[in-house]
Structures are given as C-alpha cells and as structure tokens.
Amino acid sequence: MLILLLISFGFACTKNHSKTHEFKTSDTSLTKVLRTGELKAIVNFNSIDYYIDRGTPVGYQLDLLNAYCNYAHVKLTPIVRESNKKEYFSLANHEADLMVGDINPTDFRKNMFSFTLPHSTSPLMLIRRHDSTQNKPLKAGQQLTIYIPAHSSYYDYVRSWAARNGVMANVIFDDENSTENLIEKVALGEIDYTIGEQKVAMNNSKLFRNLDFSTVISEPLEQCWVLPKNSDSLRISINKWLGKFLKTNEYKAIYSRYYNTTFNRQILENRHSYMKKKTICRWDRSLKKVARKNRWDWKLLAALIYQESGFQPNIIGRGGCIGLLQLMPETAKNYGITQKTTPEMQIIRGAKYIKYLENFYNKKVKDKQQLSKFVLASFNAGPGHVIDAINLTQKYGKDPNRWDDNVEVYLRYKSVPKYYNDPIVKSGYYRGAYTICFVNDVWERYVHYKNFVR
C-alpha cells in the first residue's frame, strides 16, 4: 500500500516538475512558520515519542520539538499521527509543516519528501522470545513468520537479511498494530517474530523480560524528521539547530530520559539494609502514621514508593518526576513537593494526592482490593486514562467497578486505534501494558511485604 502511495506521489512530482522547480525559488516554509508563530508537527502517539503521563505531555520527540520551537521562538501544534499513509498525504498537501519520529530516509522516500539531519541512529533487530523454541540459533532454510507495521520501511531490510542468511521470511504487514504493540504480542506469545529498532527493543526489555533482540538485521539506520519536498528553508533552519543541539548536554539528557537502559535496573538493584531488622525502610514510622490516618495498609504505600523510587528521596526520574513518590513536576508543585522537601513531608503531602485519587472511586468500588488497584493505576497513568478504560469497559458490557480482568483489559486496548479513537475516550492513546505491569508489580511486592512484616 505504501508503494502505491509513494508511486502516486512520484507521478504527481513528475507531472508537476516545472511547478516544483518554480516553487523552490519562492519557498515560504520557514517564513510561514515564523509569520504565524506556529509549527504544525505530526508526531506519533506512543510510549516513547509522545504521550500523556499523569496529565503531563512528555516524550522524546515532543521534547525535541519543544527545544526547536524554543530556538525558533514559535509555539508547537502537535498533530497526532493516525497512520503513515494519511500523514504522508498531509505532508504532500502542506497540511503540516513536518512529521517527526524515527523515520528512515530511504532512497524511494527521498524522491518524494525532504529529510533533516538524523537525530539518532539505530540498527534493526529481529525480536523474539527467550524460550525453548524461539531463542535457538537460526538455521538456513528455516521459515519465519515476521509481523511488521503496515507502511514501514522494514520490509526491504528483512528480505535482504533473510537472503543473506538463507532464511525463509514470510513478512506480514499489520494494519492495526505499531512496532510497540507487535513487540508486546511477541512477549505475550501471540506472535513469534517482529522487527524493531535496537533502542526501542532495549526500552521494551525493561517491561518484558522475556524478549531476545540479539539478532541484528541491518546496519545502524539514520532516523530523521521528514518535510514536504519544497520546504528547504525550514529544513535548513532545523538542520542548523539540530547540528548544534545534538552536541549539548540537554540533548543527552533527553535521550537518556527515554532510552536509558540502566536507570530502572539500578533502582531494582538498590537494596536496603533495613530488611534484616524486619523493617521495610527508614521511613516506616511516617508511612504507618499516614496510613493509619487514611485507613490504609502502610505496607501497600511502602510497595508503591519502592516501585517508584527504590526509597531514594532525591531521585529525579523519567519526565522530571520528583522524590519518593516520583510525582510529575506539575503534580508535585500542586502538593508543595520540591527537591528540598524532606522525605517525611514528601510522604505526608504525597498521601494527600493518593487520597484524592481514592475519592475518585470509593463511592462505586466497594471491594477494598479492587479500590486499591484503581488507585495504583490512576497514580501511574493518571485518572483520565483510567476513566477512559472504565467507560470502555461499561460500553462493552463488562464490570466498570472491577479492575482485574475488566477495566485493566480495556486500559490495555487504549493502544489500539479502534479503542483510543472511540468518541468516549477523552485522553487518547495510552500504552496500558505499562500500568498493568505497574499495578501487578506493586501488588506482588505488597504481598511479600505482608509476609515479611506481620
């Protein structure tokens, strides 16, 4: 489908060749952006590029866009990408100024569009599971069924790699799922193979520990932003900024914020010495006091804090999250929490936010365990995404007041276009798998804490 789309673009460019050359001499792409004070950018809604985290817009591509807009002194108008096919048409018709993402500038695409300098590079990897059947060495003649997103540039690389290694690759284009969703399907055993950039695979390995991405299928590929063909002035402006920005500590911090492969591992490896004393952490007394006041089990609050920060009160996490409870900057500000706030006061003020979330559900959700899971989910995802999932659960005839096997199912579905484009969904796309794992991990640790501290 993408080939037909790009061929149609090719015919259009060939037919209007003289007009294209004439337009180049009067390129107004940068002038228009500066005159209107607005940059219209198409960006992918996923758990790395652009997403809503507890009410705050964050993401690797969003942070880069904001940095460029600050440089150009214009405001950003993000346009959520619905499909590659539609958005390439939008670019061709100058309905948007550019499209951002990890876009590979293939020779075929260069005939139709203009590309910036690469903001990063990454090889493509074959992604499969660590299990008795899927992580065996590949052999010549072996048949693989590999799912890739529709309209991606992966197909040619897969075919070339398969030919070099004598592998029989049956490539299936998936119209419904993104690379992230396909990786999740591999981890869950729904499909056996997919393709993804190494940095994306490594990021997902934090969430799904049974993934194997040791098989490299391409050299490191340039990942760029793409503009309409006749947007030289805007492209030159972006390249001028990008060439300098990539060398700054600010860029390194942005990249690390979303692709750091050691951050969570360090937290998980952080062990405290209080376990030998039959205490959970040094702030047990504060946790017990706050929990007693709110009629909570203090060990559940401790499990939540460990999941968020590993009991490190001064840590700054992904998206600028602050402190023991890793509250997003805006939420932390609303509850008077800064980097200088004492751990005891972080717990007291953070408990007010948790109580606020509990009040969202306690009139309808009567089961105490289910209520706790709704609170944990809202703490992680933000109440907007959970409310969307509740509404979807009710629409499809399930129990909207039960998290297990009901609302959690439809929160996972919020990464599928059919569901996040539903009119009753107000907060858009969300990678629900992260929150489902979060709730499960906190609850599992809570059970251990109950066994440990009686």
Side-chain angles (χ1 to χ4, degrees):
M1 199 68 184
L2 179 60
I3 292 176
L4 292 176
L5 167 68
L6 294 179
I7 287 175
S8 68
F9 284 153
F11 287 151
C13 290
T14 302
K15 184 176 180 180
N16 298 307
H17 180 73
S18 61
K19 291 183 178 180
T20 299
H21 179 74
E22 179 182 336
F23 184 81
K24 272 189 172 182
T25 61
S26 56
D27 169 28
T28 60
S29 57
L30 179 61
T31 304
K32 186 192 74 171
V33 168
L34 296 178
R35 185 182 70 250
T36 61
E38 177 187 32
L39 180 72
K40 295 180 180 179
I42 301 167
V43 58
N44 207 11
F45 217 174
N46 60 40
S47 64
I48 295 176
D49 291 348
Y50 173 44
Y51 58 101
I52 306 298
D53 190 341
R54 307 171 220 182
T56 301
V58 292
Y60 172 73
Q61 298 293 345
L62 185 66
D63 285 358
L64 291 185
L65 280 170
N66 283 330
Y68 173 72
C69 286
N70 288 337
Y71 164 83
H73 302 292
V74 296
K75 71 173 184 177
L76 173 65
T77 299
I79 302 169
V80 177
R81 188 193 304 182
E82 296 181 13
S83 69
N84 281 353
K85 177 181 176 181
K86 179 178 179 181
E87 306 317 337
Y88 276 119
F89 272 119
S90 296
L91 277 184
N93 294 327
H94 292 268
E95 296 171 5
D97 299 306
L98 78 159
M99 179 163 64
V100 303
D102 295 338
I103 305 170
N104 178 220
T106 63
D107 290 338
F108 205 53
R109 287 174 173 174
K110 287 179 181 178
N111 289 330
M112 319 304 166
F113 300 99
S114 179
F115 288 83
T116 65
L117 293 172
H119 56 77
S120 58
T121 62
S122 183
L124 295 179
M125 321 296 291
L126 179 70
I127 299 170
R128 50 184 180 164
R129 290 184 302 282
H130 281 300
D131 59 37
S132 58
T133 59
Q134 296 305 319
N135 64 344
K136 291 182 179 180
L138 299 174
K139 298 179 181 179
Q142 185 173 348
Q143 292 190 351
L144 308 179
T145 298
I146 302 174
Y147 289 77
I148 65 174
H151 315 304
S152 77
S153 63
Y154 299 163
Y155 180 80
D156 288 340
Y157 296 104
V158 173
R159 301 300 295 181
S160 178
W161 166 78
R164 291 195 307 270
N165 292 275
V167 174
M168 307 294 292
N170 176 29
V171 180
I172 297 178
F173 291 94
D174 192 311
D175 289 314
E176 288 292 323
N177 291 289
S178 65
T179 298
E180 279 191 342
N181 289 347
L182 291 175
I183 292 174
E184 182 175 330
K185 284 179 173 291
V186 172
L188 296 176
E190 296 176 13
I191 61 175
D192 290 331
Y193 301 97
T194 188
I195 302 296
E197 291 91 353
Q198 182 185 52
K199 61 181 186 178
V200 175
M202 293 178 70
N203 191 281
N204 275 268
S205 70
K206 302 173 190 175
L207 179 61
F208 302 111
R209 298 179 183 178
N210 63 338
L211 292 177
D212 175 271
F213 51 94
S214 59
T215 304
V216 181
I217 73 163
S218 79
E219 73 283 357
L221 303 178
E222 293 183 340
Q223 296 170 330
C224 308
W225 292 352
V226 58
L227 301 88
K229 189 67 173 177
N230 304 315
S231 300
D232 288 346
S233 58
L234 180 59
R235 177 180 57 80
I236 291 170
S237 173
I238 293 174
N239 283 347
K240 181 180 178 181
W241 162 78
L242 194 58
K244 295 180 180 178
F245 187 72
L246 294 178
K247 301 174 184 177
T248 65
N249 289 332
E250 183 180 353
Y251 172 74
K252 293 175 183 177
I254 290 173
Y255 190 91
S256 178
R257 192 176 303 148
Y258 301 102
Y259 291 111
N260 190 330
T261 60
T262 61
F263 176 76
N264 284 350
R265 204 168 299 163
Q266 290 174 350
I267 291 180
L268 292 173
E269 291 173 353
N270 177 45
R271 302 183 184 276
H272 49 80
S273 62
Y274 296 92
M275 300 297 282
K276 294 180 181 179
K277 302 176 183 179
K278 288 295 181 180
T279 61
I280 294 177
C281 71
R282 70 185 76 176
W283 300 291
D284 281 8
R285 184 176 298 178
S286 296
L287 291 172
K288 292 175 182 178
K289 183 177 179 180
V290 166
R292 189 163 49 245
K293 179 180 179 181
N294 293 285
R295 298 182 180 181
W296 300 333
D297 187 338
W298 72 276
K299 294 179 286 293
L300 179 57
L301 184 56
L304 170 62
I305 290 176
Y306 183 90
Q307 182 72 19
E308 287 290 354
S309 66
F311 298 126
Q312 300 178 74
N314 300 316
I315 193 170
I316 301 297
R318 182 171 179 171
C321 296
I322 295 175
L324 285 170
L325 286 158
Q326 287 291 280
L327 296 176
M328 291 296 291
E330 190 64 29
T331 304
K333 180 181 178 181
N334 290 340
Y335 287 88
I337 297 175
T338 69
Q339 288 180 260
K340 296 182 179 180
T341 304
T342 65
E344 292 79 6
M345 193 57 66
Q346 287 183 35
I347 293 169
I348 293 171
R349 294 175 180 175
K352 293 181 180 180
Y353 177 57
I354 297 173
K355 188 65 177 179
Y356 162 77
L357 295 176
E358 186 181 63
N359 290 337
F360 246 88
Y361 308 106
N362 60 9
K363 291 183 179 179
K364 292 185 177 181
V365 182
K366 302 303 180 182
D367 183 274
K368 192 172 182 179
Q369 178 174 316
Q370 296 301 308
L371 175 61
S372 295
K373 290 186 176 181
F374 275 102
V375 171
L376 291 174
S378 294
F379 188 89
N380 181 255
H385 290 302
V386 178
I387 291 171
D388 282 344
I390 289 173
N391 292 334
L392 286 169
T393 305
Q394 188 166 18
K395 176 177 179 177
Y396 287 95
K398 300 294 183 180
D399 187 352
N401 297 319
R402 184 171 181 80
W403 170 260
D404 292 334
D405 300 320
N406 285 270
V407 175
E408 68 169 337
V409 172
Y410 288 90
L411 186 64
R412 184 185 294 276
Y413 287 168
K414 269 174 59 69
S415 66
V416 177
K418 173 184 175 181
Y419 296 95
Y420 70 70
N421 286 325
D422 192 303
I424 67 172
V425 171
K426 305 303 181 184
S427 296
Y429 169 96
Y430 184 69
R431 187 85 183 280
Y434 281 105
T435 294
I436 294 167
C437 288
F438 176 88
V439 172
N440 291 340
D441 288 346
V442 173
W443 200 262
E444 180 180 348
R445 185 169 290 111
Y446 168 52
V447 172
H448 285 301
Y449 285 176
K450 287 199 298 180
N451 291 334
F452 182 74
V453 183
R454 297 185 181 277

